[in-house]
Amino acid sequence: MNAQPAISGRTRLAAVIGSPVQHSLSPALHNAAFTALGLDWVYVALPVSEGRADTALDAMRLFGIGGMSVTMPHKEQVAASVDQLDPAAAALRSVNTVVPSPDGDLVGHSTDGAGFVASLAAAGVEVAGTQVCLLGAGGAARAIADALGRAGAAEVVVVNRTASSAETTAALASAAGCAARVGVAADIADAHIVVNATSVGMGGNLLPCDPTLLHSGQVVADIVYHPRRTALLEAAAAVGARTVDGLGMLVHQAALQQRDRKSTRLNSSHITISYAVFCLKKK
Ligand code: ATR
């Protein structure tokens, strides 16, 4: 593994903006990737208060920041303000990555959903042709619904506490190209892949669904990564289902942010490198 070069006058800057942002794992992830690749880049967290996203985009242009991650509460405002949007960001009206194009336009991307699908692929799970039961209908669930549609899922069934947001989420999967509907808890048993995209289970041992609906023919994925082994994944493993934890989505959405930074030589093979480096550091 290469050592990270010392910061010099040529060092390129990447950053995450958000509020709060001090606890973001993104600096650890992206700097691990830069170090692994021997790139003369540094990634920092910049607190930007609500309503100041446009000023941050002006600063990005002024300072020539080479890539900017965007987190709460700025994702929608940045989507409204950048010069171009990729198809996922346009569908979601939400941006988690801004990359300058060669002619200086700021291009907004959304890598969360594709990062989730990439984490399944890395675990050997193919989405195309499968029925997916998606638990949740918040920002993360919407990104995943859109990505499942683009990845060729046969059907996405959205189960959520609040029905109105389940409908919006199912509509995103449908607009992205697959059959989709709002479902009920019993639909969990019929799914090939069950995805927990609610926040239930974060930092505790609560379950987002009745575990007796899970069975050995399924893949059960959780986007919660703290704890890494959630109560849902424990229950799924106990009945013999395959499990995919939430760390993969975190790492792959970050790796895709680097892939989108076309001014570097990063490519898809580097996803594996940054993933490996990050996992080693997490141990
Ligand atoms: P994020 O942007 O991280 O996805 P979010 O937009 O707040 O977070 O969405 C949280 C999701 O978890 C929602 O689907 C929410 O359900 P509602 O749409 O009904 O609010 C779900 N969620 C959170 N707490 C829950 C709970 N105790 N029981 C069931 N669902 C819950």
Side-chain angles (χ1 to χ4, degrees):
M1 190 183 305
N2 302 317
Q4 186 164 18
I7 290 173
S8 73
R10 290 190 189 81
T11 302
R12 299 291 313 275
L13 179 63
V16 54
I17 61 164
S19 179
V21 79
Q22 306 92 301
H23 301 296
S24 171
L25 292 173
S26 295
L29 263 170
H30 289 282
N31 286 314
F34 293 149
T35 302
L37 297 164
L39 291 176
D40 189 9
W41 282 68
V42 67
Y43 185 108
V44 296
L46 302 175
V48 172
S49 54
E50 187 154 17
R52 306 292 309 274
D54 287 358
T55 309
L57 291 175
D58 287 342
M60 186 176 180
R61 290 189 177 92
L62 177 67
F63 294 127
I65 294 174
M68 201 159 76
S69 307
V70 180
T71 189
M72 291 277 288
H74 303 306
K75 290 182 167 192
E76 287 77 20
Q77 181 57 51
V78 168
S81 298
V82 289
D83 303 309
Q84 298 172 38
L85 293 170
D86 79 4
L92 298 162
R93 309 301 306 169
S94 174
V95 156
N96 79 338
T97 314
V98 183
V99 183
S101 71
D103 57 9
D105 276 1
L106 295 184
V107 184
H109 302 263
S110 178
T111 67
D112 288 330
F116 174 75
V117 170
S119 77
L120 289 184
V125 178
E126 177 58 54
V127 163
T130 61
Q131 178 170 326
V132 183
C133 187
L134 178 60
L135 310 179
R142 288 197 296 276
I144 289 170
D146 173 78
L148 290 170
R150 290 175 201 281
E155 187 177 34
V156 174
V157 180
V158 182
V159 175
N160 190 51
R161 181 175 60 178
T162 307
S164 55
S165 39
E167 277 164 23
T168 316
T169 303
L172 280 164
S174 163
C178 73
R181 64 181 169 88
V182 175
V184 294
D187 289 313
I188 291 169
D190 297 329
H192 300 114
I193 304 175
V194 179
V195 182
N196 176 39
T198 75
S199 48
V200 179
M202 204 180 284
N205 62 357
L206 295 175
L207 284 158
C209 69
D210 176 358
T212 65
L213 296 166
L214 305 175
H215 56 81
S216 62
Q218 294 175 316
V219 173
V220 178
D222 206 330
I223 70 160
V224 172
Y225 57 83
H226 183 73
R228 196 165 168 188
R229 194 94 183 143
T230 59
L232 176 69
L233 296 184
E234 292 285 1
V239 296
R242 288 178 68 184
T243 61
V244 180
D245 71 43
L247 189 60
M249 177 178 171
L250 175 75
V251 172
H252 282 279
Q253 63 78 28
L256 290 170
Q257 291 184 320
Q258 296 230 13
R259 184 207 60 180
D260 287 336
R261 198 161 38 72
K262 296 190 175 60
S263 53
T264 79
R265 59 190 169 82
L266 288 173
N267 61 45
S268 61
S269 68
H270 299 124
I271 291 170
T272 317
I273 298 173
S274 75
Y275 182 81
V277 169
F278 187 68
C279 287
L280 280 172
K281 288 197 167 188
K282 286 286 283 184
K283 277 192 177 167

